């Protein structure tokens, strides 16, 4: 059973998280790290990792089978191409690149060299997503007609490269890429219409949030939303179906399902609501809906690294397919086009 040697390029926040996680993967050994920042090099050495002096040293190290890229986004393409041309397989952080054209260039090199290129779309292993996907797949709400997925905070964009467009900053490429990726894994349908508005509340040159509206082929709709100036956050997930609804409120997985147990009910009685009466919007009475706990799906992100090993040994197909990553990049481009033109984009 072979052990794969991996070098981490970019040892900041995410690079060091990979370092921690990979300690739990028996068949991958961290050969060393490379970072352009001496402080990060020193930090790596303090944590018992070998630190390469130059990126060329990683490329020339015959022990290294896999290069893991965890640098800011604008250099993913160049590092990935150079690594594959030097005979290394590549795991790349999200967003894969700044646009679909850059991804095409990478995929050509992957094809030419026969080296694996896979993107770390780790949030496919998040419990909130897997739980909502389970509800969707099992039709626990009947036919789903509406999905909302969002993250909202109030701390603005971090003050690093994420604030600047030239480095691939902005929330669409940061959180957007995760939320869109997961939604498209959940809903196995063509997308008909895309409409997006970006926010620039904080005055950065890249988006600090956005609201993306999608209409799928069947007519079901989705909202993908990211905000960084939201002191009260809306629910992370809301899903509505013909027989019920589901909600996940927050990171702590507070939420529930409300499901209608029977059909052919009597007409609702009007209630006094505000300055008027309403029958249509009268809340359900006790016993009219079943309130259920979320069917939580557990997972481990270590499965991502194990899949990489299985793919290298021809035992599995990639858990993250490059065709899926490309579709997300093209959708992101359509979202920017919609924002810039103010128009609905007809997508697929
Ligand atoms: P960071 O700023 O904390 O770390 C980036 C590191 O890369 C820094 O130490 C920097 O010195 C180094 N670096 C910059 N250019 C380099 C180069 N040319 N060669 C080598 N090192 C270089 O950023 P981060 O938060 O760790 O983000 C890094 C990547 O990881 C980004 O692509 C980001 O989108 C992604 N990320 C993914 C997740 C996730 O959950 N998948 C979470 C956070 C960040």
């Amino acid at each position: 059973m072979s052990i794969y040697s991996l070098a981490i390029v970019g040892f900041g926040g995410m690079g060091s998280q990979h370092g921690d996680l990979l300690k739990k993967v028996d068949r991958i050994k961290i050969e060393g790290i490379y970072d352009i920042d001496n402080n990060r090099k020193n930090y790596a050495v303090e944590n018992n990792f070998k630190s390469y002096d130059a990126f060329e040293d990683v490329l020339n190290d015959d022990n290294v089978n896999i290069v893991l890229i965890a640098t800011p986004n604008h250099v993913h393409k160049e590092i990935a191409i150079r690594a594959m041309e030097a005979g290394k397989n590549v795991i790349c952080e999200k967003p894969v690149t700044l646009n679909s054209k850059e991804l095409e260039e990478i995929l050509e090199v992957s094809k030419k060299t026969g080296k694996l290129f896979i993107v770390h779309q780790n949030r496919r292993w998040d419990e909130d997503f897997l739980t909502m996907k389970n509800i969707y797949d099992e039709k626990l709400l009947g036919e789903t007609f509406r999905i909302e997925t969002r993250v909202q905070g109030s701390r603005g964009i971090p003050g690093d490269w994420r604030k600047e467009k030239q480095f691939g900053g902005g929330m669409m490429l940061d959180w957007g890429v995760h939320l869109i990726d997961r939604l498209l894994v959940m809903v196995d349908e063509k997308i008909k219409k895309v409409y997006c508005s970006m926010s620039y509340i904080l005055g950065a040159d890249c988006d600090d949030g956005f609201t993306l509206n999608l209409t799928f082929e069947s007519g079901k709709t989705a909202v993908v939303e990211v905000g960084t100036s939201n002191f009260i956050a809306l629910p992370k997930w809301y899903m509505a179906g013909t027989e019920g609804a589901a909600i996940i409120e927050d990171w702590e997985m507070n939420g529930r399902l409300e499901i209608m147990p029977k059909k052919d009910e009597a007409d609702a009685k009007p209630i006094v609501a505000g300055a008027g009466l309403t029958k249509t919007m009268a809340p359900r009475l006790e016993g009219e809906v079943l309130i259920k706990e979320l069917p939580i799906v557990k997972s481990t992100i270590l499965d991502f690294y194990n899949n990489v090993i299985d793919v290298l040994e021809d035992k599995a197909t990639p858990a993250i397919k490059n065709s899926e990553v490309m579709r997300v990049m093209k959708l992101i481009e359509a979202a920017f086009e919609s924002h810039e033109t103010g128009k609905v984009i007809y997508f697929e």
Side-chain angles (χ1 to χ4, degrees):
M1 209 167 56
S2 43
I3 303 288
Y4 294 88
S5 288
L6 176 147
I8 301 177
V9 177
F11 201 61
M14 198 59 211
S16 43
Q17 197 193 7
H18 281 291
D20 290 340
L21 288 170
L22 281 164
K23 285 179 191 156
K24 299 177 193 155
V25 180
D26 294 340
R27 295 193 54 209
I28 298 183
K29 169 184 165 239
I30 300 180
E31 194 67 33
I33 73 100
Y34 170 66
D35 198 296
I36 50 168
D37 180 347
N38 281 334
N39 290 329
R40 297 310 295 173
K41 284 184 173 160
N42 293 339
Y43 176 80
V45 172
E46 281 160 23
N47 284 277
N48 303 317
F49 292 111
K50 176 168 95 188
S51 169
Y52 292 92
D53 290 335
F55 181 48
E56 286 69 26
D57 297 341
V58 177
L59 300 180
N60 293 332
D61 186 342
D62 290 338
N63 288 330
V64 173
N65 313 113
I66 306 170
V67 166
L68 187 157
I69 305 172
T71 61
N73 308 333
H74 66 303
V75 284
H76 288 181
K77 181 188 98 171
E78 184 202 332
I79 296 172
I81 288 178
R82 289 184 65 194
M84 286 188 287
E85 284 178 340
K88 317 296 185 196
N89 300 292
V90 171
I91 299 174
C92 183
E93 260 310 334
K94 50 55 59 177
V96 60
T97 44
L98 304 192
N99 53 53
S100 61
K101 167 85 181 46
E102 286 192 348
L103 176 56
E104 265 167 34
E105 290 176 47
I106 289 180
L107 296 184
E108 270 170 33
V109 177
S110 169
K111 200 169 160 196
K112 191 180 77 192
T113 57
K115 291 294 149 191
L116 174 69
F117 178 79
I118 188 165
V119 181
H120 184 239
Q121 289 295 159
N122 53 327
R123 291 199 172 275
R124 288 194 196 181
W125 280 266
D126 279 354
E127 283 179 14
D128 63 336
F129 164 63
L130 292 173
T131 299
M132 283 317 239
K133 184 173 183 302
N134 182 24
I135 294 169
Y136 180 88
D137 289 345
E138 298 298 323
K139 294 191 185 297
L140 299 186
L141 312 175
E143 283 304 322
T144 299
F145 60 83
R146 170 82 166 180
I147 303 167
E148 296 179 17
T149 172
R150 65 171 66 76
V151 286
Q152 290 181 327
S154 62
R155 296 176 184 279
I157 314 177
D160 54 17
W161 56 267
R162 280 178 179 76
K163 245 186 173 150
E164 292 187 52
K165 204 170 175 176
Q166 58 173 321
F167 303 124
M171 283 298 122
M172 178 55 94
L173 285 176
D174 192 22
W175 269 99
V177 80
H178 283 302
L179 302 192
I180 294 169
D181 174 68
R182 302 192 306 185
L183 180 69
L184 301 196
V185 169
M186 186 187 298
V187 183
D188 183 19
E189 281 184 35
K190 284 189 175 170
I191 300 162
K192 258 171 64 181
K193 290 193 268 181
V194 178
Y195 182 75
C196 187
S197 60
M198 310 268 172
S199 66
Y200 293 84
I201 301 160
L202 304 167
D205 74 344
C206 51
D207 63 290
D208 52 42
F210 63 87
T211 303
L212 169 65
N213 291 275
L214 300 177
T215 307
F216 289 93
E217 203 174 26
S218 64
K220 70 173 59 91
T221 58
V223 173
V224 183
E225 196 164 39
V226 174
T228 48
S229 300
N230 298 80
F231 288 84
I232 297 176
L234 289 169
K236 280 186 79 192
W237 287 95
Y238 172 75
M239 194 186 282
T242 47
E243 293 164 27
I247 195 163
I248 298 180
E249 304 275 1
D250 49 29
W251 300 102
E252 284 73 42
M253 293 290 291
N254 290 306
R256 68 188 186 284
L257 271 65
E258 294 207 11
I259 296 176
M260 199 165 64
K262 57 180 167 43
K263 297 207 169 82
D264 302 328
E265 353 147 54
D267 207 7
K269 291 200 173 67
I271 58 155
V272 177
L277 280 184
T278 181
K279 191 154 77 163
T280 323
M281 299 303 162
R284 292 278 173 178
L285 301 173
E286 215 182 315
E288 279 185 343
V289 284
L290 294 175
I291 299 182
K292 292 192 170 182
E293 284 184 11
L294 293 167
I296 306 272
V297 178
K298 295 278 177 197
S299 71
T300 165
I301 186 55
L302 299 184
D303 286 349
F304 170 81
Y305 306 105
N306 289 323
N307 172 256
V308 170
I309 297 172
D310 285 345
V311 174
L312 290 174
E313 297 179 352
D314 286 330
K315 291 181 191 150
T317 53
I320 315 290
K321 295 183 178 46
N322 289 324
S323 56
E324 297 165 341
V325 177
M326 179 63 90
R327 188 170 176 234
V328 172
M329 290 313 290
K330 293 208 161 152
L331 182 54
I332 286 176
E333 285 165 356
F336 276 107
E337 186 187 340
S338 171
H339 171 75
E340 279 152 23
T341 60
K343 291 188 175 149
V344 169
I345 308 297
Y346 290 85
F347 188 59
E348 290 176 327

